[in-house]
Structure formats: structure tokens, C-alpha cells
Amino acid sequence: MVNSNAGSHSNRLKLASFNLFNYIEPPLAFYDFENIYSAEQWQKKQAWLADFLGQHQPDVIGFQEVFSAAALEQQMRLAGYEHFAVVDEPTVIDDYICRDPVVALSSKHPIIEVCAIEAKPEYVHALGLDTGFSFSRKPLRASVNLPQIGVCDIYVVHFKSKRPHLDGLPQPQFTQAPSSTSAAPLVNFGELLGRNSLGQWASSVQRGSEAALLFQAMLQRRIETGYPMVLMGDFNEELTSSVLSALTTRELRFEKEGYDQLANYPLTDAYKLFQQGLTDLFGLKDADETVPANLETNFEASFEDPALEQQLLAKARASRAPTHYYGAYGSVLDYLLLSADFDPSFDKSVAEVCDYHTEDRHLVNPSFERDSQSSDHAPVICTLRIRT
């Protein structure tokens, strides 16, 4: 891949989200006592992250699946990231077996405030959720002082996975085969299928509730401060799913007036803003439509970085790359959502998305020597061009 040097421009900033996939320093183990990295494996995992940082050089990066926050902070400081934030810690069992990884954030620019987002009891009650409801992983909010933009609230999340949530269900019943002389019970697969369906729905309820409660907290903060907002992380769901619809809602169904005041609040997928910018630039009706050859000269004249020009031209013709694969099926689970401050159609916007990249080589064309300790997710990176 072409290594764009967009980050070297004083009017550009890079944001990235990266699921590190069990970032844990030995001798700690993840989930099971057998899951301990050897010294060589740990070195390769850290080297993969270091290579990613050196190639893409994001200004701010949000992490998921962090077990060893202190080790991550140290590695990021050595890479030039002076500012680090974490608001939770994993659960440790039997002194060294860990579960419940946390999210974190590193920045080249000052972090002026950090807090964890908690589910407010009054909203939990209003949604009909159990009084003990909480986020499966605490979302992090870091207020970062970005050059030429000012204070920006950046949220890092890792929503509940699609793994069936079965904790609250009755134990399965077992049946005995009529001709069997064995005392061993046989499972009722029909019941297991029903339990799986209920468990998946329970996970969806958790994930959707997390999204809605987080968005409510983000809006309250936006009302209080007016700061630009960025939401990044592993959503464990396609953004187009109804489960996550709260994050991109932009209408009041039962209100007939005041729509002009709503423009200040919705979040938009950074990839959508990037594709929309290319569509507007090329005059295309479809972002995947082929770029007319006679427009390439005008496009190239619009940017001062030849490498970036060619990269964007290629992306103008490409479809979105998955960030995770389940077997042969790929889906986009990792996102960067931006407030209207980064949407050129908003009259008070301060920046626009001029590049978007999914670093998926290790998923689609892996090399064991290079990628064996990488991640099961593809990091996503967007470049912002500050409008002056």
C-alpha cells in the first residue's frame, strides 16, 4: 500500500480505531491459563502495532481489547504519543488469568479531561432494563485539544459482542434416547436452538441499549459544551443495523418544526463523508461509479500530495472493505463517526474528511512471519483536512 504522508501537512489530522485483539503482556493470560504469549509472540505483537503506527502516524488512536494498559501506554510513549487515557481495568482471576478487556486512547495532542461514560439510572429505568444494567465495557471520553480545531470530545467504545448472552436463561433440559442403556443424558437440540435465539436477542438488546444510552450522553455533553464529537471503536454490528440506529438518527418523528436546529447534533460515518466528498468533487451520481478520465487532471490539481492523489483516485472506484471476517463472510464492525463539525454541508464545519483507509492486508493477504500476532480486525483511519 502507498504510505500517504497526509499527516505531515499542518492542516491535516489523522484519527484511527484499532481492536488490538488480546493485547496482554506475559505472564498474564487471556481467558484461559494456556493463553500466555511467549516472549517471541509478545515481541511480534508489539512490533505489528509499531509498524502500523510508523506507516500511518495517526494523531489520535482509540484501542479496544486492552488487557495490559501500562504496557500499551509505555509502547505508545516510545512511539511519540505523550498522552494516554484509560478508565477501567480488566478482571483478574487466579492472579494472572484476565477477562473483560478495556478500551484506551493515545494522542499526540494534549488530553485535558478523561471520564468513563456510565448508564444513568433514570434512563435505564425508562428503557425497561434491569436496574443492574451497565455497559459491557465502559466507554471512554477524552477531551483532546486538537490543533486549529480546539477541544474535541473523542469517545472510544467496544459494544457488546454478538455472542449469545445466556446468563439469565434457565438451564437447558436434557432427554434420554428411548433405546439407550446409557445413563448419560442427551441434549435436546431444539431447546438449544431456542436458547441460542434468545441469547442472541439478549446480546442485541444489550448492544442497542449501549448505543442509545451512549448517544444520549454524547448529546447532553454537546448541549453543554458545543465541542466537536468523534465516536470510534468496535461496534460489533453493521452500522446500518436497526440495533445501532440510535447512533445516526437525525429526525424527530413527532415534531413538525425545528428541523433546522437538528443539524448540530447527528453523527455521520466518516467513510460516508469521504465518499460524499469524492462524489461531489467528481460530479458522480454514485460513489462507486468510475471516475471520468477527463476529471483526473482537475482532481490532481486540487491536492498538493501526488501520493495522496493516486490513493484517493483508487478509492473513488473501490467499495468499502470489511474490517472483520467470520469464516468467509466479511462485515464492517469498526467505525469512526463524526459530528457535523466535520461535514462540509454544515455551515459551521471546521474540517472535512479527505482520506479513509482500512488496513486489512493481514486479513486478506496474510504473511505468517509478519501477521501471526496482529489482530482479527482491520484498523480504520480517516484523515481530516482543516478548513481555513
mmCIF file of all heavy atoms in Angstrom, residues 167-183:
data_model
loop_
_atom_site.group_PDB
_atom_site.id
_atom_site.type_symbol
_atom_site.label_atom_id
_atom_site.label_comp_id
_atom_site.label_asym_id
_atom_site.label_seq_id
_atom_site.Cartn_x
_atom_site.Cartn_y
_atom_site.Cartn_z
ATOM 1 N N ASP A 167 -26.744 -15.868 30.303
ATOM 2 C CA ASP A 167 -26.636 -15.903 31.760
ATOM 3 C C ASP A 167 -27.988 -15.929 32.464
ATOM 4 O O ASP A 167 -28.150 -16.586 33.488
ATOM 5 C CB ASP A 167 -25.833 -14.700 32.262
ATOM 6 C CG ASP A 167 -24.381 -14.753 31.826
ATOM 7 O OD1 ASP A 167 -23.953 -15.812 31.334
ATOM 8 O OD2 ASP A 167 -23.674 -13.732 31.963
ATOM 9 N N GLY A 168 -28.967 -15.209 31.911
ATOM 10 C CA GLY A 168 -30.240 -15.101 32.602
ATOM 11 C C GLY A 168 -31.254 -16.151 32.214
ATOM 12 O O GLY A 168 -32.392 -16.133 32.705
ATOM 13 N N LEU A 169 -30.885 -17.079 31.333
ATOM 14 C CA LEU A 169 -31.830 -18.094 30.861
ATOM 15 C C LEU A 169 -31.812 -19.325 31.755
ATOM 16 O O LEU A 169 -30.784 -19.651 32.357
ATOM 17 C CB LEU A 169 -31.489 -18.509 29.430
ATOM 18 C CG LEU A 169 -31.576 -17.410 28.366
ATOM 19 C CD1 LEU A 169 -31.180 -17.966 27.006
ATOM 20 C CD2 LEU A 169 -32.971 -16.816 28.304
ATOM 21 N N PRO A 170 -32.949 -20.036 31.861
ATOM 22 C CA PRO A 170 -32.973 -21.293 32.626
ATOM 23 C C PRO A 170 -31.998 -22.305 32.035
ATOM 24 O O PRO A 170 -31.682 -22.256 30.838
ATOM 25 C CB PRO A 170 -34.422 -21.764 32.478
ATOM 26 C CG PRO A 170 -35.192 -20.557 32.062
ATOM 27 C CD PRO A 170 -34.247 -19.693 31.287
ATOM 28 N N GLN A 171 -31.509 -23.205 32.847
ATOM 29 C CA GLN A 171 -30.615 -24.241 32.365
ATOM 30 C C GLN A 171 -31.351 -25.150 31.383
ATOM 31 O O GLN A 171 -32.541 -25.426 31.543
ATOM 32 C CB GLN A 171 -30.076 -25.071 33.526
ATOM 33 C CG GLN A 171 -29.105 -24.318 34.421
ATOM 34 C CD GLN A 171 -27.899 -23.832 33.643
ATOM 35 O OE1 GLN A 171 -27.239 -24.597 32.936
ATOM 36 N NE2 GLN A 171 -27.614 -22.536 33.759
ATOM 37 N N PRO A 172 -30.655 -25.645 30.339
ATOM 38 C CA PRO A 172 -31.320 -26.485 29.336
ATOM 39 C C PRO A 172 -31.753 -27.817 29.923
ATOM 40 O O PRO A 172 -31.123 -28.350 30.839
ATOM 41 C CB PRO A 172 -30.240 -26.677 28.270
ATOM 42 C CG PRO A 172 -28.945 -26.499 29.000
ATOM 43 C CD PRO A 172 -29.218 -25.457 30.043
ATOM 44 N N GLN A 173 -32.863 -28.344 29.380
ATOM 45 C CA GLN A 173 -33.348 -29.662 29.779
ATOM 46 C C GLN A 173 -32.689 -30.720 28.893
ATOM 47 O O GLN A 173 -32.307 -30.441 27.759
ATOM 48 C CB GLN A 173 -34.869 -29.733 29.635
ATOM 49 C CG GLN A 173 -35.620 -28.707 30.480
ATOM 50 C CD GLN A 173 -35.372 -28.899 31.955
ATOM 51 O OE1 GLN A 173 -35.493 -30.011 32.471
ATOM 52 N NE2 GLN A 173 -35.033 -27.808 32.655
ATOM 53 N N PHE A 174 -32.566 -31.916 29.393
ATOM 54 C CA PHE A 174 -31.959 -32.992 28.638
ATOM 55 C C PHE A 174 -32.960 -34.142 28.509
ATOM 56 O O PHE A 174 -33.845 -34.316 29.350
ATOM 57 C CB PHE A 174 -30.681 -33.487 29.318
ATOM 58 C CG PHE A 174 -29.580 -32.462 29.343
ATOM 59 C CD1 PHE A 174 -29.441 -31.580 30.411
ATOM 60 C CD2 PHE A 174 -28.697 -32.354 28.292
ATOM 61 C CE1 PHE A 174 -28.432 -30.638 30.428
ATOM 62 C CE2 PHE A 174 -27.683 -31.400 28.296
ATOM 63 C CZ PHE A 174 -27.555 -30.556 29.367
ATOM 64 N N THR A 175 -32.824 -34.934 27.456
ATOM 65 C CA THR A 175 -33.695 -36.081 27.228
ATOM 66 C C THR A 175 -32.865 -37.337 27.116
ATOM 67 O O THR A 175 -31.672 -37.296 26.831
ATOM 68 C CB THR A 175 -34.507 -35.894 25.928
ATOM 69 O OG1 THR A 175 -33.573 -35.758 24.837
ATOM 70 C CG2 THR A 175 -35.382 -34.662 26.004
ATOM 71 N N GLN A 176 -33.515 -38.471 27.323
ATOM 72 C CA GLN A 176 -32.844 -39.764 27.225
ATOM 73 C C GLN A 176 -33.314 -40.465 25.956
ATOM 74 O O GLN A 176 -34.515 -40.489 25.654
ATOM 75 C CB GLN A 176 -33.201 -40.625 28.450
ATOM 76 C CG GLN A 176 -32.323 -41.839 28.623
ATOM 77 C CD GLN A 176 -30.956 -41.453 29.125
ATOM 78 O OE1 GLN A 176 -30.822 -40.545 29.933
ATOM 79 N NE2 GLN A 176 -29.934 -42.126 28.633
ATOM 80 N N ALA A 177 -32.392 -40.978 25.173
ATOM 81 C CA ALA A 177 -32.758 -41.707 23.961
ATOM 82 C C ALA A 177 -33.519 -42.970 24.349
ATOM 83 O O ALA A 177 -33.112 -43.692 25.266
ATOM 84 C CB ALA A 177 -31.507 -42.061 23.166
ATOM 85 N N PRO A 178 -34.670 -43.280 23.672
ATOM 86 C CA PRO A 178 -35.506 -44.422 24.065
ATOM 87 C C PRO A 178 -34.749 -45.743 24.101
ATOM 88 O O PRO A 178 -34.984 -46.569 24.975
ATOM 89 C CB PRO A 178 -36.588 -44.433 22.984
ATOM 90 C CG PRO A 178 -36.633 -43.022 22.485
ATOM 91 C CD PRO A 178 -35.226 -42.530 22.571
ATOM 92 N N SER A 179 -33.825 -45.972 23.145
ATOM 93 C CA SER A 179 -33.152 -47.264 23.061
ATOM 94 C C SER A 179 -31.819 -47.286 23.792
ATOM 95 O O SER A 179 -31.093 -48.271 23.727
ATOM 96 C CB SER A 179 -32.921 -47.625 21.589
ATOM 97 O OG SER A 179 -32.120 -46.626 20.966
ATOM 98 N N SER A 180 -31.501 -46.185 24.456
ATOM 99 C CA SER A 180 -30.186 -46.094 25.082
ATOM 100 C C SER A 180 -30.198 -46.749 26.449
ATOM 101 O O SER A 180 -31.142 -46.611 27.227
ATOM 102 C CB SER A 180 -29.765 -44.627 25.212
ATOM 103 O OG SER A 180 -28.563 -44.533 25.938
ATOM 104 N N THR A 181 -29.156 -47.508 26.718
ATOM 105 C CA THR A 181 -28.985 -48.091 28.057
ATOM 106 C C THR A 181 -28.016 -47.273 28.891
ATOM 107 O O THR A 181 -27.773 -47.584 30.052
ATOM 108 C CB THR A 181 -28.460 -49.535 27.939
ATOM 109 O OG1 THR A 181 -27.225 -49.507 27.231
ATOM 110 C CG2 THR A 181 -29.461 -50.417 27.200
ATOM 111 N N SER A 182 -27.466 -46.233 28.275
ATOM 112 C CA SER A 182 -26.506 -45.401 28.982
ATOM 113 C C SER A 182 -27.234 -44.426 29.884
ATOM 114 O O SER A 182 -28.337 -43.968 29.585
ATOM 115 C CB SER A 182 -25.630 -44.649 27.976
ATOM 116 O OG SER A 182 -24.854 -43.671 28.643
ATOM 117 N N ALA A 183 -26.601 -44.117 30.990
ATOM 118 C CA ALA A 183 -27.178 -43.144 31.908
ATOM 119 C C ALA A 183 -26.879 -41.724 31.490
ATOM 120 O O ALA A 183 -27.406 -40.773 32.067
ATOM 121 C CB ALA A 183 -26.658 -43.388 33.317
#
